[in-house]
Amino acid sequence: MTATHPTHGRRTAKHGLATGMMVFAAVMLMIAGILAVMRGIAAIAEDEVFVSTPNYVFAFDLTGWGWIHLALGVVAVLVSMGLFQGSGWARVAGVGIAGLVIIANFLSLPAYPVWSVVMIAMSAFIIWALCTPSRGDA
């Protein structure tokens, strides 16, 4: 009969939580990236989905916003693949790219307001999931 350490179960639970958070962040970042790519393509094609706001301070051409979202989406998908592999660089890059996605969606808020708010919330959850596990647990 072997004695078990009293903290063994807690370490396993913490490790499981850290792993679960990392997978959650990877999946959410992959989805956010794919959706950003699709939004970028739609904006580049100058789809009729987007609203034009004539007096917006951060106004870019719709095609310009499309390229920005397309690039962010591609990088987000690549970083999410690194997260699936458990790479440390991907965790830091994931927080960074999710932050950039928040900024880009805030700045393009008038073009597609509801979707921008959804993407901001989704990116906030990604940042939360990547920052929640402590360094020793991941």
Side-chain angles (χ1 to χ4, degrees):
M1 181 175 211
T2 60
T4 59
H5 195 274
T7 61
H8 179 70
R10 283 187 283 179
R11 285 187 186 179
T12 303
K14 282 185 178 182
H15 182 69
L17 178 64
T19 302
M21 289 295 212
M22 193 66 71
V23 171
F24 172 79
V27 169
M28 292 295 284
L29 190 60
M30 175 79 70
I31 292 169
I34 291 169
L35 292 174
V37 167
M38 291 192 303
R39 180 179 180 181
I41 291 170
I44 292 167
E46 297 188 15
D47 199 343
E48 298 294 321
V49 172
F50 297 97
V51 178
S52 63
T53 306
N55 297 324
Y56 186 54
V57 176
F58 302 110
F60 276 124
D61 178 45
L62 187 58
T63 305
W65 279 121
W67 283 108
I68 290 169
H69 286 287
L70 180 66
L72 286 173
V74 168
V75 173
V77 169
L78 293 173
V79 170
S80 71
M81 290 178 193
L83 285 171
F84 279 120
Q85 296 175 351
S87 300
W89 66 266
R91 192 171 182 177
V92 174
V95 171
I97 195 71
L100 290 174
V101 168
I102 288 174
I103 292 168
N105 278 285
F106 175 76
L107 294 176
S108 65
L109 199 59
Y112 206 30
V114 175
W115 189 247
S116 291
V117 170
V118 169
M119 291 301 290
I120 288 169
M122 193 178 218
S123 297
F125 277 118
I126 292 166
I127 291 171
W128 170 75
L130 290 174
C131 292
T132 297
S134 68
R135 182 175 275 176
D137 291 338

